[in-house]
Amino acid sequence: MARGRVVVTGASTGIGEATARRLAEEGFAVVATARRLARLRELARQIGCEFFPADLTDAGDVARLVGFLEEGEPVTALVDNAGGAIGLDSVADGDPADWLAMYEKNVLGTLRLTQALLPGLRRTGGDIVFVTSMAAHEAYPGGAGYTAAKHAERMIARTLRIELVGEPVRVIEVAPGMVKTEEFSLNRLGDGAKARAVYAGVDGPLLAEDVADVIAWTLTRPTHVNIDLVRVMSRAQADARTLVRSADDDGTLPVSALATDE
């Protein structure tokens, strides 16, 4: 018997995909959602999950996803993972359109689906996991647009935790540092070589599977235990700007590149 029905956003790649896989292994009935239908289909073929394609920045897509969810068993958990960063511009040079796009992806998309599923979770009990970032807790050069969005996302989680205290809903934040994934840095920087350089020389970088392991742990604690916050980084990283690289690293990476994270 399944441990519950959990919705995982951003499930077509990276932390979202790894989380869907891990939760399926843990016995949850997973509903994977993301924009790319082909990737969701392949994931479903491999792990036997439900799936529904949706762009969470589109209110109509969110409504259709919720309609699909209402046709099945009640949702008992939501993992808000979808998001992403654009560029490494300074505050002086930042493009407001990029800032708006990051806010839509990381904040309003998260808000829309959380609001839609919250009534059911309050009735039956359940969990909401917000996958934020080290960027939700720190500032670094070239990251203001992303850190602004992630700080705002974190405030959804913190405020909701206060608003729901005493109700049967756990509100959890998992904040990863730099995570070596297939697409995050590539999407942020738009260049394969630059994306690979972000992780160059890092001994034992944090992987998507490591974060998925933490998310699964928070969801499988006794129901009276609320893991308010987990900050997780590789041993080689201490904060957004402190990262140890191997001795053969030529040291030419800009400091801002060290802060590229999930």
Side-chain angles (χ1 to χ4, degrees):
M1 184 176 179
R3 302 180 81 156
R5 191 174 184 225
V6 55
V7 178
V8 180
T9 72
S12 63
T13 190
I15 292 172
E17 180 184 353
T19 299
R21 292 181 185 277
R22 178 58 187 272
L23 293 181
E25 291 172 0
E26 291 281 346
F28 289 89
V30 173
V31 183
T33 187
R35 290 174 298 168
R36 291 177 289 185
L37 177 58
R39 282 182 171 248
L40 291 176
R41 280 181 174 150
E42 178 58 21
L43 178 64
R45 185 190 68 79
Q46 293 179 21
I47 70 172
C49 67
E50 297 179 86
F51 65 94
F52 193 90
D55 180 349
L56 301 186
T57 68
D58 184 319
D61 267 17
V62 172
R64 286 184 284 275
L65 170 60
V66 172
F68 170 80
L69 294 171
E70 289 175 345
E71 294 175 359
E73 294 295 316
V75 171
T76 59
L78 166 63
V79 179
D80 278 314
N81 172 74
I86 302 172
L88 287 169
D89 291 339
S90 67
V91 172
D93 298 324
D95 185 340
D98 289 343
W99 283 52
L100 180 59
M102 286 186 276
Y103 197 86
E104 282 278 359
K105 290 179 180 179
N106 294 282
V107 184
L108 298 184
T110 295
L111 177 65
R112 287 187 185 96
L113 189 55
T114 300
Q115 286 179 328
L117 298 184
L118 188 56
L121 291 169
R122 295 177 84 171
R123 282 194 305 270
T124 62
D127 306 313
I128 306 173
V129 179
F130 293 85
V131 183
T132 61
S133 170
M134 174 175 60
H137 297 258
E138 300 183 40
Y140 56 84
Y146 185 53
T147 59
K150 283 300 184 181
H151 274 70
E153 183 184 14
R154 182 181 182 232
M155 286 303 103
I156 297 176
R158 296 308 308 142
T159 306
L160 189 61
R161 176 78 170 98
I162 298 167
E163 292 172 346
L164 298 182
V165 67
E167 296 192 37
V169 180
R170 298 188 298 185
V171 179
I172 299 159
E173 180 187 356
V174 176
M178 189 178 76
V179 185
K180 186 177 182 180
T181 61
E182 177 186 4
E183 294 187 336
F184 182 87
S185 290
L186 179 61
N187 290 338
R188 182 175 199 173
L189 302 175
D191 180 275
K194 290 180 180 179
R196 289 189 295 274
V198 170
Y199 314 106
V202 179
D203 182 21
L206 201 66
L207 303 176
E209 290 77 12
D210 300 318
V211 183
D213 179 58
V214 173
I215 293 169
W217 176 75
T218 68
L219 288 174
T220 53
R221 296 311 85 208
T223 56
H224 71 284
V225 177
N226 194 108
I227 307 300
D228 281 25
L229 169 65
V230 180
R231 293 188 65 181
V232 54
M233 289 174 273
S234 73
R235 189 178 60 200
Q237 184 176 30
D239 59 29
R241 299 180 66 187
T242 308
L243 179 68
V244 176
R245 297 181 185 271
S246 61
D248 60 356
D249 179 45
D250 63 11
T252 59
L253 285 174
V255 169
S256 57
L258 303 184
T260 304
D261 62 356
E262 288 288 339

